[in-house]
Amino acid sequence: MIPLDPLPNLIDQVYARILEAITDRSLPPGHRIRQSELAEKLGVSRQPVSHALHLLHWQGLVAESGRRGFEVTRLDPERIRQLYEVRGAIDALAAKLAAGRAKTDASGRAQLEAALQAGRSIGKDTPLSRLIALDVDFHSAVYRLAGNPAIEEMIAPQWPHMRRSMATVLAELDYRERAWAEHEAIAAQILAGNARAAETAALAHAQTAGRMTEERLRATDKAA
């Protein structure tokens, strides 16, 4: 991790950098975080690091470990399955609503098309953090086109956990192409205004991702 510039929103920057490291496994599950060491790597004092770690602890991304220490939590396969069950319902609703607005919301349509275009640039050398960001951008574009702010508000607290789970399957080269093929299929139905087909495609995509993620996590736990 590279040092940060000392800006007013330093805690937010530290939080984002640690979260990124947890997501792309630079800080893997079970890793013990030493605040002084982390502060030195980021080029900041311990105070913003401490604040950021307490935010991450509140979200369940790190857990207390020893005296004033933290460690990166492990992904719970059952919890991830539960999150994907809920996300499947939300994504299906968002896709259906987005299809109903695709012909009238020019800005939302353009954002979705831009997210698709960005996703077409991925390859075998694309960093995992970039893959995750592009995936989030695609789904966020669908949520915005849906025109219901409650969708993004409900999913926002779960994005850190979902981003971690994405890393489990996006690390596999074969699934990267499959995921974007499914994104293309969802978007095609949305942009064509086919609400029912968009809803079905979005639900299937979430169910597939959830099933694969749970299977990978359980296999990893078993191997350990």
Side-chain angles (χ1 to χ4, degrees):
M1 291 185 283
I2 60 176
L4 293 165
D5 294 327
L7 297 175
N9 61 341
L10 191 55
I11 294 174
D12 291 340
Q13 289 188 80
V14 172
Y15 168 86
R17 190 62 56 81
I18 299 174
L19 176 59
E20 180 182 358
I22 291 173
T23 300
D24 68 14
R25 302 177 186 173
S26 298
L27 295 175
H31 179 85
R32 181 169 171 77
I33 298 175
R34 294 174 174 82
Q35 294 187 37
S36 57
E37 180 180 321
L38 191 55
E40 183 178 352
K41 286 183 177 180
L42 294 174
V44 300
S45 69
R46 289 183 57 180
Q47 185 176 17
V49 172
S50 177
H51 282 297
L53 287 172
H54 279 89
L55 287 172
L56 292 161
H57 178 248
W58 179 77
Q59 291 181 301
L61 296 165
V62 300
E64 292 182 352
S65 176
R67 187 171 178 270
R68 300 181 65 183
F70 293 92
E71 69 175 41
V72 180
T73 56
R74 301 182 184 279
L75 285 169
D76 179 358
E78 183 175 357
R79 177 59 174 167
I80 292 301
R81 176 183 58 77
Q82 293 167 346
L83 287 177
Y84 270 100
E85 286 177 349
V86 174
R87 182 179 157 189
I90 291 175
D91 282 10
L93 172 61
K96 181 177 72 171
L97 294 176
R101 290 168 46 86
K103 298 189 186 314
T104 58
D105 185 348
S107 175
R109 183 186 181 99
Q111 286 186 33
L112 179 57
E113 291 173 337
L116 276 177
Q117 186 60 38
R120 294 180 183 125
S121 68
I122 68 171
K124 64 179 181 179
D125 297 323
T126 304
L128 184 57
S129 59
R130 175 65 175 161
L131 290 170
I132 295 170
L134 289 171
D135 200 298
V136 173
D137 287 347
F138 170 78
H139 289 288
S140 295
V142 174
Y143 299 156
R144 294 189 191 103
L145 183 54
N148 185 337
I151 291 176
E152 284 194 276
E153 291 167 5
M154 292 181 69
I155 203 72
Q158 304 305 329
W159 267 130
H161 301 283
M162 300 305 302
R163 288 173 62 188
R164 288 188 73 191
S165 73
M166 287 177 184
T168 303
V169 289
L170 289 177
E172 301 180 20
L173 292 176
D174 58 339
Y175 184 70
R176 297 180 183 188
E177 294 184 0
R178 177 177 175 180
W180 276 98
E182 292 175 2
H183 289 169
E184 293 274 4
I186 295 167
Q189 298 300 340
I190 290 174
L191 296 173
N194 297 328
R196 185 176 295 277
E199 180 182 23
T200 300
L203 177 59
H205 174 63
Q207 289 175 333
T208 298
R211 182 176 64 253
M212 288 185 63
T213 304
E214 182 183 10
E215 290 173 355
R216 298 297 186 279
L217 290 174
R218 292 194 183 283
T220 300
D221 288 349
K222 187 175 181 180

